[in-house]
Amino acid sequence: MFRNLSEDIAFLLVRKRIVDNEKREMYSYGAEVILLNTFNLLISFIISLFSSTMSHFMIFVLVFIPLRMSIGGYHAKTSGACAIISTLLYIASIVIPNLIPLKTKNAILLILFALSVVAIFIYAPIENENNLLSSELKKRNRLTSLILASADSIATIIACIFVPCIASSIMIFVILASALMLISRFKR
């Protein structure tokens, strides 16, 4: 779906002489990425709107997306699979914490969060075979990963004191981002 639409957009750009035919594939890929990311954000927003979890959505945008972009990790083979996996992960990020008994939820999340931050410090960034990083970009992503993981840790500590539900969302999204990074790391 996303691939066909992005190819149509790129073809239209070539036909209107906005881009050269030689660059059509690059523009098609760019359009596909934009369409997919917009779709994923929109679906997550709608899910949060209907589940009254807008603060969770904001943490998703502020924590998960930047961290995921810098640490890298697992990528689905097709944009359709990516959309499905992203939607299921977002739903899981809302549902699963509510299934954990309240007495142990914070302890479990804190332990997984701490392990996730350690994993980010050890392994980030993870390259994708479809998007190899130059040594300069790898260094920049490493520094960004460390800064974001540190900032997320500080934000979690502060939120644990003042707004525990926000702390839970931060921890969940760091855990998810780290899990996707580790899946890719150990899949190789």
Side-chain angles (χ1 to χ4, degrees):
M1 176 177 113
F2 295 104
R3 164 99 35 191
N4 292 339
L5 187 55
S6 66
E7 287 175 357
D8 290 345
I9 291 169
F11 180 73
L12 181 66
L13 292 173
V14 169
R15 202 174 83 212
K16 296 276 184 182
R17 299 185 193 276
I18 296 171
V19 297
D20 295 330
N21 192 40
E22 299 83 42
K23 295 184 179 181
R24 186 176 55 83
E25 195 63 35
M26 181 178 68
Y27 279 90
S28 176
Y29 174 75
E32 184 176 5
V33 169
I34 291 168
L35 290 169
L36 178 62
N37 289 337
T38 302
F39 176 82
N40 286 339
L41 272 174
L42 186 61
I43 291 296
S44 298
F45 177 80
I46 291 168
I47 290 167
S48 285
L49 195 63
F50 284 108
S51 63
S52 300
T53 56
M54 287 308 291
S55 62
H56 191 71
F57 175 75
M58 293 306 297
I59 299 302
F60 171 71
V61 171
L62 295 172
V63 171
F64 181 78
I65 293 173
L67 188 59
R68 177 88 167 103
M69 288 173 61
S70 67
I71 69 174
Y74 176 78
H75 286 277
K77 294 200 184 313
T78 67
S79 57
C82 178
I84 292 167
I85 291 168
S86 296
T87 300
L88 292 175
L89 280 175
Y90 191 77
I91 292 169
S93 76
I94 295 171
V95 173
I96 290 174
N98 295 324
L99 299 176
I100 302 171
L102 193 57
K103 288 183 179 182
T104 58
K105 180 165 114 174
N106 289 341
I108 290 170
L109 285 177
L110 276 170
I111 291 167
L112 291 174
F113 175 77
L115 292 171
S116 296
V117 170
V118 168
I120 290 167
F121 270 78
I122 294 171
Y123 296 115
I126 298 294
E127 282 186 296
N128 180 308
E129 60 197 26
N130 297 330
N131 184 23
L132 300 176
L133 303 174
S134 67
S135 61
E136 178 66 30
L137 189 55
K138 193 180 258 189
K139 286 178 189 174
R140 188 172 19 158
N141 282 7
R142 171 115 181 109
L143 179 61
T144 303
S145 300
L146 299 179
I147 290 169
L148 289 173
S150 299
D152 293 339
S153 297
I154 293 167
T156 299
I157 292 167
I158 293 169
C160 278
I161 297 166
F162 298 107
V163 194
C165 66
I166 297 294
S168 293
S169 291
I170 295 170
M171 289 188 282
I172 288 163
F173 285 124
V174 171
I175 292 164
L176 278 177
S178 178
L180 291 169
M181 177 191 74
L182 291 173
I183 288 168
S184 181
R185 164 88 171 118
F186 294 113
K187 189 177 159 188
R188 286 196 265 155

